[in-house]
Amino acid sequence: MKKILWFLIFSFNFLILNGQKFSIEGTVSNFEKKPVENATVYLLKQKDSTVINYTSTNKEGKFSLKTNELSEPSILKVDADKLISYSKNFNKIDGSVNLNQIELDKNQVTNIEEVQLTVSPVKIKKDTIEFNANAIKVRPDSNIEELLKNIGGVEIDNDGKITMNGKDVDQIMINGKPFFDKDGKIALKNIPADIIKNIQFTTTKTKEEELSGKTPKSENTTINFTIDEKKNKGLISRITAGYGSDKRYEDSGFLSYFKDKAKISLLASSNNINSQGFSNDEASDMGSGRGSRGSAGNNMKGIQKSTTIGVNYSDKLSKEIDLDALGVNRVNTNLEMASKVSRTTFLPDYALRTDSENQTENETEQYNFNSSLKIKPDTLSTIYFSPSFSYSKTINSRTSKSNTFRDNELLNKSESANNSQSENNSFTPNLHYSRKFKKIGRILYASVNTSITENKNNNLIKSQTLFFENGIEDENKKDIRDQLTKTQRQSNSYSFTTKFSEPISDSTSVSFGLNYNSKTETNARIVNDFDANSGQYSDYNIALSNSSEEKTNQLSPAITFEINKKKLNLWASANIDLTDVKYHSLFNGQQYELDRNFTLPDYNAGFQYHVSENSRLSVYNSASFTIPASDRLIPYVDESNPLVTYQGNPDLKNAWSNRTNLYFNNFNIPKNINYHINIGFTYHHNDTTNFSYYDESGKQFVTYTNISGNKSANVGGGFSKTFKWGDNKLMINPKVSLNYNYNRGFVNGQQFVGNSYTFTPGISFLYDKKDKINIKPSYNVNHSFSNYKNYSVESIKNTYQTFRLELTNYFLKTNLIFENDFEYNTSSNIAPGFKKDFYFWNTSIGYSFYNKMFTAKVKIYDVLNQNQSVKRTIAASYVEDREDLILKRYVMFTLTMKLNKFAGKKL
């Protein structure tokens, strides 16, 4: 593997050193003769406006754009904010060029809608980075997820989690609006890349910040894809049908109609290959392979059948009313899962090993309705209303068995079979109001958030738990159950927030707020044992039945101070939480009452400093108290689990935590370099933790206590460098992270101390030669190490390595595409009976015909039939090895038809 990596690095460096030969240089100034920093300079092919290369000016307004020899006409453009763009034509480029001084005049047009904006490859404005989608070359018929994968600083893991420069992406929008869902999974898989104009990365805003125009303070990122206005009137359609070996199938349809502000989309999908959401199956996509391979970190376990249908509509209904979203979808899934687990629990003097096997079949039918409406009754006021509703019904059957050993001596064994039916529904109507005043910065904001949820569950369980002493079964301890359990949970919560902001100066403001929260929650658990005489589940089990009702009221006055300058945004807020908790419960026929009042302070502060136009430093610090859960304060003994008994502790204290995070990122456009650094630290005081001990049969008894001093720290960073020459593009992305956790807790009645370290370096490359080949190799290491005090072991370590290679070859003017995905995983330390390494390989060949309207494709998933899901988890008090059932090899043939038509033109 090392030889492969060194060969790739050497090959890429050779290509770089033999790439760009010439440069175009100059100095850009404005009409006042002052240098223009961060102006975008880019070279285009005249025939199709393809971006050859781009850069930006430095603080002195200077630039140097690299290129190789060009024998065809090209255009050099310089674009700067609020200045008229500069253009220069070249018939050919056969040497370096110095343009000397370039002076840009002031743009006199004030109405932005009348300006024909020049598209720049990259723009940076305050906290927003904007990429021109045309400058990002992806495979034909790619979706917008492929655009993200080709942007430096963006990472998408196997679970679909997206980060940009180390910050989590929590919203994905299309033209500033949700597309079915805010997490954007449906949009990522279905919106074609060729209709996108720009991709914007910006700090996620709260609804208050969005409506009032305040500076965002979130640590998360929002991605917004804007559709090319030339393609904002038309139709997008995809229909795919596929069938393969082992009766595997995949069918999907996608239809979206755009007309100016109006957009309606229809989606339908059915498959049994673990394809989540509405993923397309096109020649440039390995289909379910990447989404269900079961590799390291993938949460998609088991084999799933799913059928989904949905419709989404958005429109500008009038000048005052904007319908952001109106969507309905139905999802039906059948998931079959099986797992084998070996967990070793470390005690001060010895260790317990529990081997278990589980099989589950879960069938769910779910309906979702979501909507959002923005109303502007006048130029200063905004009302936002977003009601949503969901309903689901689930049928679940599960069988499990486990054996617990001490030094290979059997302590207990358990077998159980569960069959349950449940219903869940929730209704969340939320209302927001924002009012600006004539005095700039004076703002009134109010919101009402409501949540009404209900859960019903009927669970039939048959279980047998046996205990052993010296290898002989103890008849006095065995636990046999044949029970029907009915549970019902209702929760109604109501929150009202109001805030008034008053400017102190042009850059300083103070806000006074009041937040009121009210929540009522009721729980009922009725357990009936099987009565052999009546043949019914009618024997009421008072020991396992319980009920509770909790009412919480919280009033929180708050004050916030903000400074917003050109380079610096600073804020600090503090609030007092006045909380009243009333808890009434009935356990084992005995009543318990809890009535407590709390007065607890919280605060958060931070600043964002723009070191330059391209770099930014952000620091966040917050501290808060957490009230113990009411059921943990009640000294009731819960024996619902035959192997674990729980008891509350009325002496628990409020927990306190302090969290600090630092982010720094720099996007150097002239050098095509992007890098980021993240540092975080969290400290916990009076954490609620388990205080447990084990008896001689391996049964665990758990209560709760407070412990202080637990802490965690992390540091990480990533670097991205892009090289371009001719039709070649190379991106190099090294990254590294180090996580440290200090854990204090109790095992078997004694305190332990654990220090855990996780070191995860990695590197990836992307090489693309236009319409010829695309190569994406990557190598990642996860090294974890833990040492302990007062444990039966002193230390544990494990190294997990992953090598991936994605290779795409284009033939016959990109009509024929041959694609291969290869992956190798290995673990240095895993329990006997679990495979430590495996190879995973997908391959496909697709052919597009009839002007690429149709694509026929044959793919083989898991060619070597070695796919597996094996994972080792190292926790504070145990080590667990787990293997899950996942999808294995199949062959499938698919036929895809697409029809895109914009403004009367087919694409």
Side-chain angles (χ1 to χ4, degrees):
M1 186 180 299
K2 291 183 179 179
K3 292 181 179 180
I4 295 174
L5 290 174
W6 282 115
F7 173 75
L8 290 171
I9 294 171
F10 174 80
S11 300
F12 290 148
N13 279 305
F14 176 81
L15 290 171
I16 294 166
L17 294 173
N18 291 274
Q20 297 150 329
K21 300 177 181 179
F22 308 120
S23 63
I24 303 174
E25 299 177 350
T27 303
V28 180
S29 61
N30 61 16
F31 57 95
E32 295 177 336
K33 309 296 184 182
K34 295 181 180 179
V36 178
E37 182 183 3
N38 208 35
T40 306
V41 184
Y42 49 104
L43 187 66
L44 308 170
K45 289 184 179 180
Q46 195 176 87
K47 64 178 181 181
D48 57 6
S49 297
T50 300
V51 178
I52 300 170
N53 202 358
Y54 62 91
T55 185
S56 69
T57 56
N58 60 18
K59 292 182 179 180
E60 290 78 34
K62 296 181 179 180
F63 69 89
S64 178
L65 187 146
K66 304 295 183 182
T67 181
N68 61 348
E69 184 175 353
L70 288 176
S71 59
E72 60 180 308
S74 59
I75 306 172
L76 179 77
K77 290 194 175 185
V78 180
D79 184 27
D81 190 28
K82 298 180 181 179
L83 295 171
I84 295 176
S85 299
Y86 167 87
S87 298
K88 181 174 179 59
N89 295 335
F90 295 94
N91 290 324
K92 63 178 181 177
I93 296 177
D94 54 5
S96 297
V97 179
N98 193 330
L99 300 176
N100 298 317
Q101 196 73 23
I102 299 173
E103 185 175 315
L104 304 181
D105 201 356
K106 187 175 182 180
N107 197 328
Q108 301 296 325
V109 181
T110 57
N111 185 353
I112 191 66
E113 293 182 357
E114 298 178 5
V115 180
Q116 183 68 31
L117 294 175
T118 304
V119 179
S120 304
V122 181
K123 287 184 179 179
I124 299 177
K125 188 176 182 180
K126 293 185 178 180
D127 66 335
T128 300
I129 302 177
E130 180 178 284
F131 293 86
N132 171 22
N134 289 332
I136 305 171
K137 294 303 177 183
V138 294
R139 296 172 296 196
D141 298 324
S142 292
N143 52 37
I144 60 176
E145 186 177 39
E146 290 298 317
L147 287 173
L148 295 181
K149 291 178 180 179
N150 286 274
I151 295 176
V154 175
E155 292 185 20
I156 305 177
D157 66 14
N158 287 330
D159 302 324
K161 179 183 176 182
I162 305 172
T163 57
M164 173 59 171
N165 289 334
K167 292 188 175 184
D168 292 342
V169 173
D170 62 347
Q171 283 191 152
I172 293 179
M173 317 291 278
I174 304 296
N175 283 351
K177 298 180 180 181
F179 188 80
F180 279 94
D181 52 357
K182 285 190 176 182
D183 63 16
K185 291 180 180 179
I186 296 175
L188 289 176
K189 299 293 185 182
N190 290 279
I191 300 294
D194 56 11
I195 72 168
I196 299 300
K197 180 180 180 182
N198 297 316
I199 309 161
Q200 299 165 336
F201 297 83
T202 188
T203 303
T204 298
K205 294 183 178 181
T206 64
K207 190 54 64 177
E208 177 195 356
E209 292 165 345
E210 179 185 330
L211 299 181
S212 64
K214 288 187 175 182
T215 301
K217 309 176 187 66
S218 171
E219 297 181 58
N220 296 327
T221 297
T222 292
I223 303 177
N224 181 46
F225 293 89
T226 61
I227 296 175
D228 192 337
E229 56 270 15
K230 296 179 181 178
K231 300 176 181 177
N232 211 17
K233 293 182 181 181
L235 181 71
I236 306 169
S237 64
R238 298 282 193 279
I239 298 175
T240 295
Y243 190 78
S245 59
D246 297 327
K247 297 183 180 180
R248 299 296 172 200
Y249 65 89
E250 181 180 29
D251 304 307
S252 64
F254 171 66
L255 175 68
S256 190
Y257 175 71
F258 300 82
K259 185 177 181 181
D260 298 326
K261 299 295 182 179
K263 177 181 65 182
I264 184 168
S265 301
L266 300 173
L267 294 164
S269 173
S270 183
N271 70 85
N272 64 353
I273 56 172
N274 291 6
S275 183
Q276 302 178 57
F278 302 90
S279 71
N280 283 330
D281 180 17
E282 306 203 11
S284 59
D285 180 14
M286 290 300 289
S288 66
R290 294 195 183 104
S292 58
R293 60 179 53 177
S295 57
N298 194 334
N299 286 329
M300 189 60 207
K301 313 299 183 185
I303 298 175
Q304 178 176 274
K305 301 176 185 177
S306 65
T307 301
T308 312
I309 186 169
V311 58
N312 187 79
Y313 176 67
S314 64
D315 198 0
K316 182 80 171 177
L317 301 180
S318 68
K319 185 178 180 181
E320 297 81 16
I321 303 176
D322 193 354
L323 181 63
D324 273 1
L326 179 64
V328 180
N329 65 69
R330 175 187 179 274
V331 181
N332 184 272
T333 60
N334 180 280
L335 178 61
E336 180 186 354
M337 295 183 292
S339 65
K340 180 177 70 173
V341 180
S342 179
R343 173 182 288 199
T344 301
T345 302
F346 301 107
L347 306 180
D349 302 318
Y350 60 93
L352 296 175
R353 189 186 86 247
T354 300
D355 297 330
S356 61
E357 294 183 7
N358 302 277
Q359 289 187 323
T360 304
E361 185 172 357
N362 185 294
E363 186 168 346
T364 301
E365 183 178 11
Q366 182 173 353
Y367 298 86
N368 299 297
F369 167 82
N370 68 87
S371 62
S372 55
L373 195 69
K374 186 183 292 184
I375 305 171
K376 290 188 69 66
D378 55 61
T379 57
L380 300 176
S381 302
T382 305
I383 300 171
Y384 190 87
F385 182 50
S386 57
S388 63
F389 174 78
S390 69
Y391 168 81
S392 65
K393 182 178 180 180
T394 301
I395 299 175
N396 181 280
S397 63
R398 183 174 186 266
T399 60
S400 63
K401 60 181 180 180
S402 68
N403 298 294
T404 300
F405 302 87
R406 174 181 174 179
D407 299 328
N408 294 322
E409 180 183 331
L410 180 64
L411 298 182
N412 61 68
K413 62 188 300 184
S414 177
E415 294 185 6
S416 65
N418 292 65
N419 291 279
S420 66
Q421 294 184 0
S422 63
E423 290 186 12
N424 297 272
N425 59 72
S426 67
F427 178 53
T428 55
N430 297 323
L431 181 66
H432 303 264
Y433 172 77
S434 179
R435 168 75 179 183
K436 298 179 181 180
F437 296 87
K438 292 183 179 179
K439 185 176 182 180
I440 298 175
R442 179 179 291 171
I443 302 169
L444 174 65
Y445 172 79
S447 67
V448 178
N449 298 306
T450 305
S451 176
I452 302 171
T453 63
E454 183 182 42
N455 169 264
K456 296 179 180 180
N457 183 67
N458 292 338
N459 181 39
L460 178 62
I461 179 172
K462 296 183 179 182
S463 68
Q464 174 179 271
T465 305
L466 307 178
F467 298 91
F468 298 83
E469 185 174 353
N470 297 323
I472 301 175
E473 181 183 335
D474 190 339
E475 291 288 339
N476 297 322
K477 287 187 177 182
K478 68 179 179 180
D479 187 305
I480 309 296
R481 301 188 184 189
D482 186 0
Q483 300 170 336
L484 177 62
T485 301
K486 296 183 177 182
T487 60
Q488 183 173 352
R489 176 181 177 271
Q490 290 182 318
S491 178
N492 301 327
S493 64
Y494 166 85
S495 174
F496 172 75
T497 301
T498 182
K499 184 180 290 187
F500 180 76
S501 301
E502 179 67 20
I504 300 175
S505 67
D506 291 343
S507 59
T508 307
S509 66
V510 62
S511 300
F512 302 93
L514 185 66
N515 184 57
Y516 173 72
N517 293 281
S518 178
K519 183 178 181 180
T520 301
E521 183 174 313
T522 60
N523 291 277
R525 185 173 188 263
I526 300 174
V527 180
N528 287 298
D529 294 322
F530 182 74
D531 188 341
N533 295 324
S534 65
Q536 303 290 327
Y537 289 92
S538 56
D539 188 3
Y540 181 67
N541 190 320
I542 190 173
L544 297 182
S545 301
N546 58 67
S547 63
S548 65
E549 181 179 2
E550 181 175 7
K551 293 183 178 180
T552 304
N553 291 295
Q554 185 180 79
L555 188 66
S556 304
I559 184 172
T560 303
F561 181 80
E562 296 183 56
I563 297 177
N564 294 302
K565 291 183 175 293
K566 182 178 180 180
K567 284 197 168 187
L568 175 67
N569 302 316
L570 185 148
W571 68 89
S573 66
N575 60 280
I576 300 293
D577 296 332
L578 309 172
T579 308
D580 173 41
V581 178
K582 289 182 171 62
Y583 184 75
H584 170 76
S585 59
L586 182 67
F587 292 96
N588 198 16
Q590 182 177 352
Q591 292 189 1
Y592 296 87
E593 302 286 342
L594 180 68
D595 190 349
R596 289 193 176 185
N597 297 306
F598 304 93
T599 301
L600 302 172
D602 292 342
Y603 82 85
N604 73 80
F607 71 85
Q608 300 166 345
Y609 179 65
H610 295 261
V611 181
S612 68
E613 290 290 334
N614 301 328
S615 59
R616 181 179 176 187
L617 173 68
S618 303
V619 177
Y620 303 86
N621 178 257
S622 62
S624 61
F625 282 89
T626 303
I627 300 172
S630 298
D631 57 353
R632 292 191 173 188
L633 292 168
I634 299 298
Y636 161 67
V637 178
D638 182 359
E639 295 182 325
S640 56
N641 187 331
L643 291 174
V644 185
T645 298
Y646 296 92
Q647 183 174 10
N649 179 6
D651 297 323
L652 288 177
K653 301 176 183 178
N654 300 317
W656 179 81
S657 64
N658 188 286
R659 178 174 174 268
T660 301
N661 279 319
L662 178 148
Y663 301 91
F664 176 80
N665 69 276
N666 181 75
F667 201 110
N668 190 322
I669 297 178
K671 295 183 179 180
N672 282 324
I673 291 176
N674 180 25
Y675 64 88
H676 67 273
I677 300 171
N678 309 319
I679 301 174
F681 178 79
T682 303
Y683 178 82
H684 300 277
H685 180 73
N686 280 337
D687 253 359
T688 297
T689 188
N690 290 354
F691 185 90
S692 66
Y693 68 92
Y694 293 81
D695 65 11
E696 66 281 356
S697 66
K699 184 174 181 178
Q700 186 181 15
F701 297 84
V702 179
T703 185
Y704 309 98
T705 189
N706 293 112
I707 197 165
S708 297
N710 286 345
K711 48 186 172 282
S712 62
N714 66 277
V715 58
F719 177 88
S720 174
K721 170 69 175 176
T722 302
F723 303 89
K724 292 184 178 180
W725 66 101
D727 291 334
N728 301 278
K729 174 184 176 181
L730 171 65
M731 183 187 297
I732 302 175
N733 294 282
K735 61 179 180 178
V736 66
S737 67
L738 175 64
N739 294 274
Y740 167 72
N741 287 279
Y742 176 85
N743 294 294
R744 300 174 64 195
F746 297 92
V747 173
N748 221 26
Q750 296 187 35
Q751 187 178 118
F752 74 88
V753 176
N755 292 277
S756 301
Y757 306 84
T758 305
F759 181 57
T760 54
I763 187 169
S764 63
F765 301 90
L766 186 155
Y767 172 73
D768 182 81
K769 185 172 181 60
K770 184 181 177 182
D771 298 340
K772 298 294 182 182
I773 191 171
N774 184 284
I775 307 174
K776 296 181 181 180
S778 65
Y779 176 66
N780 295 281
V781 179
N782 184 304
H783 178 73
S784 55
F785 173 80
S786 299
N787 56 55
Y788 304 95
K789 294 181 180 178
N790 295 335
Y791 252 29
S792 55
V793 296
E794 293 184 355
S795 64
I796 305 172
K797 62 181 179 179
N798 183 56
T799 301
Y800 196 93
Q801 301 178 71
T802 303
F803 171 75
R804 295 189 180 98
L805 177 64
E806 299 178 22
L807 177 64
T808 307
N809 299 89
Y810 302 88
F811 305 97
L812 304 178
K813 297 182 179 180
T814 73
N815 280 22
L816 181 67
I817 299 179
F818 182 47
E819 187 173 18
N820 287 275
D821 281 3
F822 175 81
E823 182 174 325
Y824 173 71
N825 295 270
T826 180
S827 179
S828 65
N829 188 11
I830 203 162
F834 294 86
K835 192 175 181 180
K836 65 178 295 184
D837 62 353
F838 71 97
Y839 297 89
F840 180 73
W841 177 22
N842 289 341
T843 186
S844 72
I845 185 166
Y847 180 70
S848 299
F849 55 97
Y850 201 66
N851 294 324
K852 296 190 177 181
M853 184 181 296
F854 294 92
T855 299
K857 178 179 177 182
V858 177
K859 67 178 178 182
I860 305 176
Y861 176 83
D862 187 20
V863 176
L864 303 176
N865 203 29
Q866 287 196 14
N867 194 22
Q868 66 177 20
S869 175
V870 176
K871 185 178 181 181
R872 162 159 284 209
T873 300
I874 300 177
S877 58
Y878 66 86
V879 172
E880 180 179 280
D881 296 310
R882 180 185 181 98
E883 181 177 359
D884 288 273
L885 169 72
I886 59 172
L887 194 63
K888 289 285 190 176
R889 181 171 59 193
Y890 66 85
V891 182
M892 181 174 288
F893 171 80
T894 62
L895 181 64
T896 299
M897 183 190 76
K898 70 167 187 174
L899 177 62
N900 297 344
K901 188 177 181 181
F902 302 102
K905 181 181 179 181
K906 291 184 180 181
L907 296 180

